[in-house]
Amino acid sequence: MKLVKNISLIVLCAILSCCKQPEGGLMYYTSAGQYETVSVTPPPADAQVRNVILMIGDGMGLEQISCAWVLNHGKLNIDNFPVVGLSRTYCTNSLITDSAAGGTALAVGQKTAIDHVGCSPDGTPLYSILSKARELGKKTGCVTVCHLADATPCDFCCHDECRDNADALIADYLDCGVDFIAGGGRDYFGPKRKDGRDIVEEMKAKGYNYASDEQQLMTAPLPVLGLMSDWNLPVAAERGDLYRHMVSRCLDLLSSESGEKGFVAMLEGSCIDDWLHANRIDLAMEETLDFDRTIGDVLQWAEKDGHTLVVVTADHATGALTLQDGDIAEGRIGVEFGNDGHNGIAVPYFVWGPGAGAFGGTVENCELSNIISSFIK
Ligand SMILES: [Zn+2]
């Protein structure tokens, strides 16, 4: 997490301190409402994999999923996945990873060091499953809730030894060739750059169609650069269905433009992690539940398509969260945070669709990426 983000979160938490953990007690939270989950049937196991969708819940470990499950009264869309396993998240120089190293392992199929984005520990650029897909003539997408200078989207599209080199990372989007790029972070493309460059204009010169709001995003043809906000997208309660609409547009457009070739997309539920760092169970859970709603949309889309492999996982878990009390019928949880950082517990992964039989058991995060990559051909 960037220093500037940390400072912003601290300020926000000081203002919004309605969810503080009482000393020696649990923090309680009750969901605002319940949503209907979908029920989907995977295509036959021998169906051909044409499209691959990797969904990353940043900081979304089993503890976060369990809490969300209670809050939605014992139902989640993620329950539809027939294959579940565990992914070990440690990186080359630390048991406790970050989104740079953790996301890079998922993106490129090799573990790397803390802070390293899309590159090896010695800084050699490594290319993601999106790059591989592009080389094979497939369409590609990257959609996030956070700003596009944040580690996870950069892990898939950019290369730098330091995740804090926002100017350099954003400039890498010019060469990544990803067809549908959408998230927040307008400031990093122009106004807040130290080098005075206007990367939006440079992307337009490369042929990108720029969208600065939802309406424009819904009509812009490929290739698309969609910057929906100056920094991260608004919190889940304020943005409504914006993220879900961004994802739906991405899938529809990539699918219609790629035909038989298919596409590969990375969709991130980014801000689960941010609010766990701030020990804000309410906001972290709203992000987790929004991500689960999006998973429901994606599964329904994939069911209709019949040739789409969907994998959901996390880069690491955050907050050393423990679920210690609650009530499923009331949608209420009582939790405790053990820290405000990441932890070293293995995270779950969930697989749905053709090819799911190739997954299962406990794997290294990079191995998970390599199995996904084997279906990109
Ligand atoms: Zn984090």
Side-chain angles (χ1 to χ4, degrees), residues 153-195:
C154 290
D155 292 330
F156 286 78
C157 305
C158 317
H159 314 276
D160 203 290
E161 283 179 89
C162 181
R163 60 183 293 169
D164 291 335
N165 288 338
D167 282 5
L169 284 166
I170 291 289
D172 277 357
Y173 282 104
L174 284 161
D175 301 317
C176 71
V178 174
D179 300 289
F180 189 97
I181 303 167
R186 259 181 241 126
D187 282 349
Y188 295 96
F189 282 73
K192 296 253 167 93
R193 292 185 68 86
K194 293 183 197 79
D195 58 10

Side-chain angles (χ1 to χ4, degrees), residues 91-113:
C91 64
T92 58
N93 61 349
S94 175
L95 173 65
I96 313 302
T97 195
D98 69 338
S99 294
T104 294
L106 293 171
V108 310
Q110 287 183 46
K111 285 184 189 275
T112 189

Side-chain angles (χ1 to χ4, degrees), residues 1 5 58-59 97-99 150 163 270 272-274 276-277 315-318 340-342:
M1 169 176 279
K5 196 190 278 185
D58 202 313
T97 195
D98 69 338
S99 294
D150 211 338
R163 60 183 293 169
S270 326
I272 301 166
D273 178 69
D274 297 279
L276 292 166
H277 279 290
D315 46 358
H316 52 73
T318 306
D340 60 1
H342 301 162

Side-chain angles (χ1 to χ4, degrees), residues 17-18 49 63 124-125 173 176 191 212 215 223 242 255 304 313 320 327 357:
S17 56
C18 64
V49 177
E63 52 274 44
T124 306
Y173 282 104
C176 71
S212 63
Q215 204 184 350
L242 173 60
S255 173
K304 209 168 142 194
T313 192
D327 188 297

